[in-house]
Amino acid sequence: MHHRNASHRSYLHTPRHRFCRTLLPLAALYLSTALTAQAQPNPNLMKYTCGPANRMFATISPTSRFTGSTAGFDLVASPSINGKACTSDKPFFFSVPVPEGDYRITVVLGGPQASVTTVRAEGRRLMLEKVATQPNKSITKSFDTNVRYPEIQGQPSGNSVTQVKLKPRELGILNWDHKLTLEFNGDHPSVRSIDIEPIGIKTDEPVLYLAGDSTVVDQYYEPWAAWGQMLPRFFLPGIVIANHAESGETTESFVSEHRLAKIMTTMKPGDYLFIQFAHNDMKPGAVSLDDYRKLLIDYIAQTRAKGATPVLVTSMNRRTFDDAGKITNSFGPYPDAMREVAAQQKVTLIDLNAMSKTLFEAMGNEGTLKAFMHYPADSFPGQTAAIDDDTHFNSYGAYELARCIVHGIGVANLPLTKFLDPQIPDFNPAHPDPQPDFHLPFTPILHPGDPTKVGQT
């Protein structure tokens, strides 16, 4: 028999039952909210702590893993929680789904043991370099970064272009996805809390956009690197660097793939656009010298129409030494053409071509092997052949070129010099940093195949 007795039926109508019937759903709702609040993205409140949750910070634990709607650890194994710090003897990543835009990130670094933590954002952008903390001590650091989507919004009326034409190698990587990813790397990397704040809520910071090729791009795979991804390390909070460079680009393809249009739909007065092209433009059948000049002038005009400041950057030299140990020009008339356009248009010029000649000659023929992509076979997993590349750079070479760019900013006395980190001394290309003293921890993102097959053109 399944009939309920009279006493049970009468209980259903008692005040106590009505109270319980109301309380239980509310308790379930509260529990659900409390659990999801641990890692739910809120564009106005994205604060995470490795300690107990509180009114302002959601707690994260080794089981907090990123999903399309939930913040958490990502890509590799989670760190452990020790002494209210997320800490590990290996690199780890933390990702948050966020809208496209600019963000101020504040991290409290440090853990129970001594640590040296390097922080990168998105596709290996260097944000904080080797921050040392003593056992059970902490230090607070802030930096600004950019998250971009391939979708294009805000096009002029009648323009039907809605997306950047991404190359196959750009699909599925951190540079163009719908999340913000932070990498914590180094000697026992440790972080206590992460605070992510949309910059637009409190101020309109200037954005420094980069347009260029594989020598500027945020190189995704180790051991490749370019100066654009090293540049953020030299700036304080207050300016955002948005690197739109991509491998294989020319002044012409950067337009036809809608990369320049993407920049222009987000550019505002007070921003900057650094423009470096020539490596691919100068190749046979690519971009004629006349078209190169015209396209540079058009970039300048579009930037100025937005109330922003264009800056031309001559391309760094390739590793082409003559018998006397001097770098030879492998670009033909293209660097001079850019210099002429800069003079005619009254645009600031950062002559990286000239500075790199000084830099590479100071390093010498043998020394530059440590700055360019030269590695014997089997230096990296899956690498079956030697890499002998006299165009592209490893982290050391990219870092030194970024220092040249920073030096050029200072020489030009651009207003954005006020955002440069004053603790970093000026750089003389004739006196490069000693390569044996240079070290950045490897990002655990290796090409799934042979790293010699990473496309660069």
Side-chain angles (χ1 to χ4, degrees), residues 66 70-75 93-97 174 179-182:
F66 172 79
T70 305
F73 297 107
D74 199 8
L75 301 176
F93 296 81
F94 186 79
S95 295
V96 184
L174 297 176
K179 63 182 179 181
L180 168 63
T181 299
L182 302 175

Side-chain angles (χ1 to χ4, degrees), residues 21-141:
R21 189 171 55 186
T22 302
L23 179 61
L24 288 174
L26 286 175
L29 177 62
Y30 174 81
L31 179 61
S32 173
T33 302
L35 290 173
T36 57
Q38 290 185 4
Q40 282 289 357
N42 180 333
N44 299 319
L45 182 61
M46 292 176 285
K47 300 174 183 287
Y48 309 95
T49 179
C50 298
N54 56 48
R55 186 171 60 86
M56 294 300 295
F57 283 79
T59 189
I60 49 178
S61 72
T63 61
S64 303
R65 299 295 297 181
F66 172 79
T67 70
S69 60
T70 305
F73 297 107
D74 199 8
L75 301 176
V76 297
S78 300
S80 61
I81 306 298
N82 190 342
K84 297 183 180 180
C86 298
T87 184
S88 178
D89 59 356
K90 297 177 181 178
F92 57 91
F93 296 81
F94 186 79
S95 295
V96 184
V98 296
E100 181 176 60
D102 304 322
Y103 293 86
R104 167 74 50 83
I105 293 94
T106 300
V107 292
V108 179
L109 302 176
Q113 72 285 307
S115 65
V116 180
T117 305
T118 291
V119 181
R120 296 183 177 98
E122 299 291 87
R124 297 174 57 221
R125 300 173 197 163
L126 183 61
M127 312 307 299
L128 300 175
E129 180 185 3
K130 294 184 289 189
V131 180
T133 52
Q134 297 301 310
N136 297 309
K137 301 293 184 181
S138 63
I139 185 170
T140 302
K141 293 285 187 178

Side-chain angles (χ1 to χ4, degrees), residues 75-76 93 124 173 220-224 379-383 442-452 454:
L75 301 176
V76 297
F93 296 81
R124 297 174 57 221
I173 65 174
Y220 191 66
Y221 296 110
E222 293 278 12
W224 308 85
S379 295
F380 306 97
Q383 181 197 346
F442 259 41
T443 298
I445 298 178
L446 292 169
H447 193 266
D450 188 336
T452 63
V454 175

Side-chain angles (χ1 to χ4, degrees), residues 196-216:
I196 302 169
E197 183 178 3
I199 286 174
I201 289 177
K202 63 178 182 179
T203 182
D204 267 341
E205 284 192 6
V207 177
L208 168 51
Y209 292 94
L210 304 181
D213 52 36
S214 57
T215 61
V216 185

Side-chain angles (χ1 to χ4, degrees), residues 33 38 148 190 194 344 454:
T33 302
Q38 290 185 4
R148 69 176 185 264
S190 302
I194 304 168
Q344 293 165 1
V454 175

Side-chain angles (χ1 to χ4, degrees), residues 28-333:
L29 177 62
Y30 174 81
L31 179 61
S32 173
T33 302
L35 290 173
T36 57
Q38 290 185 4
Q40 282 289 357
N42 180 333
N44 299 319
L45 182 61
M46 292 176 285
K47 300 174 183 287
Y48 309 95
T49 179
C50 298
N54 56 48
R55 186 171 60 86
M56 294 300 295
F57 283 79
T59 189
I60 49 178
S61 72
T63 61
S64 303
R65 299 295 297 181
F66 172 79
T67 70
S69 60
T70 305
F73 297 107
D74 199 8
L75 301 176
V76 297
S78 300
S80 61
I81 306 298
N82 190 342
K84 297 183 180 180
C86 298
T87 184
S88 178
D89 59 356
K90 297 177 181 178
F92 57 91
F93 296 81
F94 186 79
S95 295
V96 184
V98 296
E100 181 176 60
D102 304 322
Y103 293 86
R104 167 74 50 83
I105 293 94
T106 300
V107 292
V108 179
L109 302 176
Q113 72 285 307
S115 65
V116 180
T117 305
T118 291
V119 181
R120 296 183 177 98
E122 299 291 87
R124 297 174 57 221
R125 300 173 197 163
L126 183 61
M127 312 307 299
L128 300 175
E129 180 185 3
K130 294 184 289 189
V131 180
T133 52
Q134 297 301 310
N136 297 309
K137 301 293 184 181
S138 63
I139 185 170
T140 302
K141 293 285 187 178
S142 295
F143 56 87
D144 298 342
T145 197
N146 169 264
V147 174
R148 69 176 185 264
Y149 290 2
E151 294 82 7
I152 301 176
Q153 299 179 353
Q155 285 275 53
S157 178
N159 191 324
S160 60
V161 173
T162 59
Q163 187 157 326
V164 175
K165 291 183 179 179
L166 300 182
K167 295 180 171 69
R169 61 172 165 254
E170 297 179 90
L171 302 176
I173 65 174
L174 297 176
N175 293 332
W176 285 108
D177 59 12
H178 289 193
K179 63 182 179 181
L180 168 63
T181 299
L182 302 175
E183 171 194 343
F184 298 89
N185 206 330
D187 183 7
H188 290 100
S190 302
V191 61
R192 294 179 181 273
S193 65
I194 304 168
D195 182 349
I196 302 169
E197 183 178 3
I199 286 174
I201 289 177
K202 63 178 182 179
T203 182
D204 267 341
E205 284 192 6
V207 177
L208 168 51
Y209 292 94
L210 304 181
D213 52 36
S214 57
T215 61
V216 185
V217 68
D218 287 345
Q219 291 280 3
Y220 191 66
Y221 296 110
E222 293 278 12
W224 308 85
W227 67 257
Q229 68 197 121
M230 301 294 175
L231 196 62
R233 183 266 176 270
F234 300 96
F235 285 86
L236 299 171
I239 188 167
V240 177
I241 296 175
N243 189 358
H244 285 250
E246 170 52 26
S247 298
E249 293 302 308
T250 66
T251 48
E252 190 174 79
S253 66
F254 201 82
V255 174
S256 64
E257 293 170 9
H258 316 306
R259 299 177 191 274
L260 184 62
K262 174 67 179 180
I263 292 173
M264 291 301 157
T265 56
T266 57
M267 182 177 281
K268 64 185 183 303
D271 289 345
Y272 293 81
L273 176 61
F274 280 27
I275 306 158
Q276 184 210 287
F277 292 101
H279 276 83
N280 301 304
D281 297 72
M282 54 79 59
K283 294 177 180 178
V287 179
S288 71
L289 198 61
D290 283 345
D291 286 344
Y292 180 71
R293 292 190 183 99
K294 292 175 183 176
L295 284 161
L296 290 178
I297 292 170
D298 185 56
Y299 279 60
I300 292 166
Q302 289 194 48
T303 304
R304 284 175 166 166
K306 292 288 185 177
T309 300
V311 175
L312 297 183
V313 180
T314 55
S315 292
M316 77 291 288
N317 282 280
R318 297 184 175 93
R319 185 178 168 272
T320 52
F321 285 92
D322 63 17
D323 293 339
K326 301 296 183 183
I327 289 288
T328 61
N329 175 25
S330 64
F331 292 96

